Amino acid sequence: MNRRSALKAALTASALAALTACAPADQGSDIVDIAAADGNFTTLVAAVQAAGLEETLRSPGPFTVFAPTDTAFAALPPGTVESLLLPENRDQLVSILTYHVLPGAVQSSDVLGSVTNVATVQGQTVRVDGTGGKFAAAVRVNDANVTAADILATNGVIHVIDKVLLPN
């Protein structure tokens, strides 16, 4: 009887494990949800919405987003953000924002120890330098430091940067 009970318990556990594996996973948060919930990206979220990119950044992706903080936007010359948010400057805003996005999900471990130029969604490349160390940020994008890396979203990854990247 003990063997039969043990076998029955093992089969039940296997069946439950198989059902759990087939159950829908928690949907989690996408890139926009994470940025909006953080509180340090209100300017970025407003810019994404003004540029009409919210739906794109909620799509399956995957994307890698170099996300400038509100402090990074505040460091731009006075009036720059307000000007970019105007409807007549939408194309320029889209160009700047898509310059912060890479197709695919790139984590910091993918770039550590190397320097590479990577094409952005905007079309130009950014220089990703993962050779920093003891006295420098571990990863830099152009002249911006990655201050928080590998924030995983359901549709990609976010890396927080301390400067707004501006395309040529």
Side-chain angles (χ1 to χ4, degrees):
M1 282 289 203
N2 285 340
R3 276 190 164 167
R4 192 177 264 169
S5 295
L7 181 59
K8 191 174 182 180
L11 289 173
T12 301
S14 294
L16 285 173
L19 285 173
T20 302
C22 294
D26 176 21
Q27 294 301 314
S29 297
D30 62 35
I31 289 168
V32 177
D33 289 337
I34 290 171
D38 185 279
N40 289 310
F41 304 105
T42 56
T43 306
L44 177 62
V45 172
V48 165
Q49 291 168 339
L53 295 172
E54 183 175 0
E55 186 175 322
T56 300
L57 289 176
R58 288 188 183 279
S59 71
F63 304 105
T64 299
V65 175
F66 298 114
T69 61
D70 291 338
T71 303
F73 277 103
L76 292 172
T80 302
V81 172
E82 294 78 10
S83 176
L84 288 170
L85 293 176
L86 295 174
E88 59 266 25
N89 296 326
R90 184 174 185 226
D91 290 344
Q92 184 181 10
L93 181 60
V94 168
S95 178
I96 291 169
L97 292 175
T98 56
Y99 188 62
H100 288 78
V101 181
L102 306 178
V106 180
Q107 294 190 26
S108 61
S109 61
D110 299 329
V111 300
L112 287 178
S114 66
V115 177
T116 187
N117 291 320
V118 184
T120 66
V121 170
Q122 183 259 5
Q124 293 183 30
T125 61
V126 290
R127 182 176 188 263
V128 179
D129 183 347
T131 62
K134 191 173 182 179
F135 300 108
V139 179
R140 291 178 54 85
V141 182
N142 291 351
D143 63 344
N145 295 306
V146 174
T147 59
D150 301 331
I151 301 168
L152 301 180
T154 57
N155 60 343
V157 61
I158 301 169
H159 303 291
V160 180
I161 58 174
D162 64 356
K163 291 185 181 177
V164 176
L165 305 175
L166 298 172
N168 298 327

